[in-house]
């Protein structure tokens, strides 16, 4: 079948061949693609075969040197036997002339066939630029080499990722005994690894079956699982022994790792404690580091033997009756500039939050919460925490009721929740908080709509808004004292817009009104 594909481009094929055996007679085979062919004896001095294609008129492109060179480069760059394509050329007297030396177009011992101990970083980088000419230098790489239960070699490169994850397209080239097969075969290479680049050579891979058969082949699944495991092992090893480099690469590789965690539960299990979170102080921390404050660790260390005995002596029923521990809250920021007011307040109170500004993060943190009952993620503007409130426990019921009615009437929004709280930072007049689950649902609807899965209005799931007014702020005090003034509505609108501006950009119409009102 492979040979007869010659007739896809040729109207006639001739083969002139002579065996290596002593005294062998050379023969010529001729066929025009029909079931008939002829064989005749001819004279030929040397052993070997010449295959001559008489190219069809509509396939003349395959007689062009550039087209042949392109095909050879794609499919034969690493064949284990030398491939000569014409003669080498050199410049002489301002002209390019052929030399007597064969032009060998392939590398018979590519990098993945050699031992890692023989190779330098420059070797790996040079090979990468040969595979992907115009690409940025890779971050790092994994050299694969396994002999049992299957034979597989290869090099996987982590490219610099600087775009959204769903528009990234890596290219992993699949080879069989150094013969190129295809790019990115999903049945062999896990989907999330498609973001990587490099080569995989697996001589044991069955090639004479359909894609659907590959998908259900247990052997192929083992190959896929092995590749996933090696990638996870490399990342974990870096986190443990090269933490500084791991942190340096994190912003580039985090979309890939998070995508992998969403797509592959085994990969997620392995990587769970080695996912980094960059905080508002530009420090990188793992999930366990975020969840276990230093003082809690000290308390654990100080537990006495008696405490341990008491714990062990509890009956199973008593343990079951104990209240489930509350989830630890991890606050996060999606836009450092937009949420700057909240970040300032957190820093002033010694609180922390992590940066989650990639479009994959909403799905990622939802999955993390589902897999772990001990923590929850909340955006920094999801609520006003007790740490931000003054210790003064004055009763603000009257202020809350009065200003709530004023704001709902002025803004024509009965669904708005208004609270008056004493906040530590008197400079902050108002804060808008949005329900975490409501906003996540809204974000998800927007993502579906952007992906062409429309049909639903994202605003159906608009997050519930709570406006917190700071009783310690001069403007809020003024508004309460002058609640019956003709200008009270204007002040209410201004306080609402100030809070909104620290949460998200105002619409064009709202911004125009805000500027005019500010001038008034």
């Amino acid at each position: 079948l492979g040979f007869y594909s010659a007739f896809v481009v040729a109207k006639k094929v001739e083969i002139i061949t002579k065996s290596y055996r002593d005294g062998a007679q050379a023969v010529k085979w001729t066929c025009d693609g029909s079931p008939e062919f002829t064989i005749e004896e001819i004279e030929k001095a040397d052993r070997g075969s010449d295959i001559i294609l008489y190219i069809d008129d509509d396939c003349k492109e395959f007689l062009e040197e550039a087209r042949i060179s392109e095909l050879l480069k794609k499919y034969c760059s690493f064949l284990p036997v030398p491939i000569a394509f014409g003669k080498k050329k050199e410049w002489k007297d301002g002209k390019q002339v052929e030399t007597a030396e064969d032009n060998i177009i392939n590398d018979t011992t590519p990098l993945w066939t050699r031992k890692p101990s023989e190779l330098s970083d420059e070797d790996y980088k040079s090979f990468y630029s040969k595979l992907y000419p115009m690409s940025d230098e890779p971050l790092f790489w994994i050299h694969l080499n396994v002999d049992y239960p299957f034979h597989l070699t290869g090099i996987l490169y982590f490219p610099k990722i600087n775009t959204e994850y769903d528009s990234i397209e890596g290219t992993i080239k699949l080879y069989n005994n150094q013969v190129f097969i295809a790019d990115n075969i999903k049945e062999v290479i896990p989907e999330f690894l498609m973001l990587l680049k490099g080569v995989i050579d697996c001589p044991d891979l069955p090639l004479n079956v359909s894609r659907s058969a590959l998908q259900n082949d247990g052997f192929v699944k083992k190959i896929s699982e092995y590749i996933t495991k090696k990638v996870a092992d490399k990342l974990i090893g870096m986190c443990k022994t090269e933490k500084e480099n791991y942190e340096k690469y994190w912003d580039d590789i985090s979309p890939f790792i998070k995508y992998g965690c969403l797509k592959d539960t085994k990969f997620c299990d392995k990587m769970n404690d080695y996912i980094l979170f960059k905080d508002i102080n530009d420090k990188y921390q793992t999930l366990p580091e975020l969840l276990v404050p230093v003082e809690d660790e000290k308390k654990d260390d100080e537990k006495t033997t008696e405490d341990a005995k008491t714990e062990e002596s509890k009956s199973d029923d008593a343990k079951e009756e104990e209240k489930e521990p509350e989830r630890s809250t991890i606050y996060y920021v999606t836009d450092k500039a937009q949420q700057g007011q909240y970040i300032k307040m957190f820093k002033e109170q010694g609180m922390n939050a992590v940066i989650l500004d990639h479009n994959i993060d909403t799905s990622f943190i939802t999955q993390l919460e589902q897999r772990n009952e001990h923590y929850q993620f909340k955006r920094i503007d999801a609520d006003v925490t007790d740490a931000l409130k003054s210790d003064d426990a004055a009763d603000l019921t009257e202020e809350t009721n009065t200003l709530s009615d004023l704001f709902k009437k002025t803004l024509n929004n009965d669904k708005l929740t208004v609270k008056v709280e004493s906040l530590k930072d008197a400079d902050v007049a108002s804060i808008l908080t949005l329900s975490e689950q409501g906003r996540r649902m809204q974000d998800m609807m927007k993502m579906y709509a952007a992906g062409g899965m429309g049909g639903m209005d994202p605003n159906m799931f608009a997050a519930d808004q709570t406006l917190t007014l700071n009783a310690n702020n001069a403007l809020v005090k003024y508004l309460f004292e002058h609640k019956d003034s003709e200008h009270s509505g204007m002040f209410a609108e201004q306080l609402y817009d100030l809070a909104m501006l620290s949460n998200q950009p105002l619409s064009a119409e709202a911004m125009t009104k805000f500027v005019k009102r500010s001038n008034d």
Side-chain angles (χ1 to χ4, degrees):
L1 181 63
F3 170 73
Y4 274 97
S5 67
F7 291 103
V8 172
V9 296
K11 53 191 174 187
K12 184 173 81 168
V13 177
E14 290 179 350
I15 299 178
I16 299 170
T17 184
K18 185 179 182 181
S19 170
Y20 70 94
R21 294 189 181 94
D22 289 339
Q25 174 63 53
V27 295
K28 177 181 177 183
W29 178 93
T30 306
C31 179
D32 61 4
S34 67
E36 303 297 323
F37 59 87
T38 61
I39 294 182
E40 57 184 300
E41 294 184 356
I42 60 162
E43 293 300 318
K44 187 176 187 300
D46 302 320
R47 57 173 282 196
S49 301
D50 299 330
I51 302 173
I52 303 164
L53 309 185
Y54 292 80
I55 299 296
D56 236 327
D57 291 340
D58 59 352
C59 295
K60 289 291 176 66
E61 62 177 294
F62 297 109
L63 293 176
E64 296 168 8
E65 185 174 337
R67 185 72 171 104
I68 299 171
S69 182
E70 176 192 338
L71 288 168
L72 289 173
K73 185 176 180 182
K74 181 173 182 178
Y75 293 98
C76 307
S77 283
F78 304 109
L79 281 177
V81 291
I83 305 292
F85 179 44
K87 300 294 181 181
K88 279 191 175 179
K89 295 177 181 178
E90 62 180 28
W91 288 94
K92 194 171 184 181
D93 299 329
K95 293 181 181 180
Q96 206 173 30
V97 295
E98 281 192 351
T99 66
E101 187 181 351
D102 284 339
N103 177 35
I104 304 299
I105 57 91
N106 59 317
D107 178 0
T108 58
T109 55
L111 225 61
W112 74 81
T113 64
R114 297 160 62 186
K115 294 178 182 177
S117 57
E118 301 172 355
L119 305 170
S120 67
D121 287 356
E122 285 309 311
D123 290 327
Y124 285 106
K125 291 175 184 177
S126 173
F127 184 64
Y128 182 81
S129 70
K130 185 176 179 180
L131 288 174
Y132 311 100
M134 308 305 292
S135 292
D136 289 337
E137 199 172 89
L139 299 171
F140 55 94
W141 47 86
I142 303 172
H143 197 132
L144 304 169
N145 194 343
V146 62
D147 290 320
Y148 183 83
F150 47 80
H151 185 61
L152 180 144
T153 54
I155 303 170
L156 294 180
Y157 289 92
F158 286 72
K160 185 174 176 62
I161 298 171
N162 50 24
T163 55
E164 302 292 357
Y165 85 98
D166 53 2
S167 64
I168 293 169
E169 187 178 343
T171 310
I172 296 179
K173 301 176 185 295
L174 185 67
Y175 289 79
N176 186 311
N177 278 321
Q178 298 173 226
V179 179
F180 176 73
I181 304 302
D183 291 322
N184 292 350
I185 293 189
K186 292 180 181 177
E187 291 76 18
V188 181
I189 300 160
E191 184 181 355
F192 72 94
L193 290 182
M194 297 296 179
L195 281 69
L196 300 187
K197 294 184 176 183
V199 295
I200 289 174
D201 192 332
C202 187
D204 298 332
L205 193 67
L207 297 178
N208 58 339
V209 292
S210 66
R211 296 292 288 268
S212 58
L214 274 177
Q215 199 168 8
N216 297 306
D217 189 288
F219 173 73
V220 172
K221 285 180 181 175
K222 284 181 181 177
I223 295 174
S224 178
E225 288 172 2
Y226 168 80
I227 295 169
T228 302
K229 179 180 179 299
K230 291 299 289 184
V231 170
D233 289 345
K234 172 70 175 182
L235 294 167
I236 292 168
M238 284 185 68
C239 187
K240 287 179 176 178
T241 62
E242 303 174 53
K243 187 75 181 297
E244 194 175 321
N245 276 337
Y246 192 60
E247 290 180 359
K248 185 173 72 176
Y249 299 143
W250 180 256
D251 290 348
D252 288 306
I253 65 174
S254 63
F256 150 75
I257 293 175
K258 291 170 183 177
Y259 187 48
C261 287
L262 287 170
K263 290 292 183 180
D264 191 309
T265 54
K266 287 184 179 178
F267 181 77
C268 192
D269 289 338
K270 287 179 76 73
M271 290 302 304
N272 192 73
D273 292 349
Y274 304 96
I275 295 162
L276 297 186
F277 294 85
K278 185 179 182 179
D279 67 19
I280 52 178
N281 301 304
D282 292 331
K283 181 183 176 185
Y284 290 91
Q285 298 182 65
T286 62
L287 202 51
E289 288 168 343
L290 283 171
L291 295 175
V292 185
V294 176
E295 51 268 32
D296 288 354
E297 289 178 335
K298 288 179 181 174
K299 287 176 188 174
D300 289 342
D301 292 341
E302 290 166 4
K303 278 188 177 179
T304 64
T305 308
E306 197 63 39
D307 292 332
K309 287 181 180 176
T310 304
E311 187 66 28
E312 287 176 9
S313 65
K314 288 181 183 177
S315 68
D316 291 338
D317 290 340
K319 287 178 183 176
E320 282 181 17
E321 286 175 8
E322 285 184 355
K323 187 180 177 183
E324 285 290 320
E326 290 188 10
R327 285 176 173 243
S328 298
T329 298
I330 300 172
Y331 289 97
Y332 67 94
V333 172
T334 56
D335 187 324
K336 286 180 76 173
Q338 190 69 44
Q339 293 150 17
Q341 173 181 288
Y342 300 89
I343 294 172
K344 176 176 174 286
M345 293 170 67
F346 264 52
K347 284 184 175 181
E348 286 174 349
Q349 301 308 317
M351 297 176 67
N352 202 1
V354 297
I355 311 295
L356 295 174
D357 55 4
H358 203 281
N359 68 348
I360 197 174
D361 284 323
T362 299
S363 303
F364 177 63
I365 60 176
T366 300
Q367 187 212 47
L368 283 181
E369 289 169 336
Q370 290 169 351
R371 293 168 62 86
N372 195 313
E373 61 184 9
H374 299 298
Y375 56 85
Q376 62 183 342
F377 285 85
K378 278 189 180 180
R379 203 165 90 169
I380 200 167
D381 56 359
D383 60 22
V384 178
T385 69
D386 290 338
L388 302 179
K389 298 174 186 176
S390 299
D391 297 330
D392 177 16
D395 185 2
L396 298 167
T397 305
E398 183 187 354
E399 287 87 343
T400 295
N401 291 337
T402 300
L403 293 181
S404 180
D405 291 341
L406 171 63
F407 273 82
K408 287 182 178 180
K409 181 181 177 182
T410 301
L411 299 170
N412 193 26
N413 184 355
D414 288 335
K415 292 183 179 180
L416 178 68
T417 301
V418 180
K419 293 180 181 178
V420 180
E421 302 269 15
S422 294
L423 304 182
K424 291 177 180 176
D425 189 348
D427 291 337
V428 176
S430 51
I431 295 176
L432 194 69
T433 55
L434 305 177
S435 141
E436 177 70 19
Q437 294 307 320
R439 187 181 51 251
R440 286 199 207 179
M441 181 65 75
Q442 192 175 23
D443 288 346
M444 204 167 289
M445 290 300 104
K446 286 177 181 174
M447 187 174 69
Y448 287 146
M453 299 171 67
M456 296 183 76
D457 180 4
N459 294 318
M460 283 174 59
F461 298 95
D464 296 330
Q465 293 185 347
T466 299
L467 180 68
T468 300
L469 301 168
N470 185 4
N472 291 328
N473 178 265
L475 184 57
V476 176
K477 288 178 183 177
Y478 180 88
L479 180 60
F480 180 69
E481 291 165 3
H482 299 81
K483 51 187 173 289
D484 297 323
S485 160
E486 61 178 304
H487 300 302
S488 61
M490 182 172 71
F491 279 107
E493 288 179 331
Q494 190 76 352
L495 281 164
Y496 178 80
D497 280 354
L498 282 170
M500 179 65 85
L501 273 168
S502 295
N503 183 274
Q504 64 188 49
L506 294 178
S507 68
E509 183 183 0
M511 179 55 83
T512 301
K513 289 180 179 177
F514 175 76
V515 172
K516 181 181 183 305
R517 191 187 319 116
S518 298
N519 287 324
D520 291 342

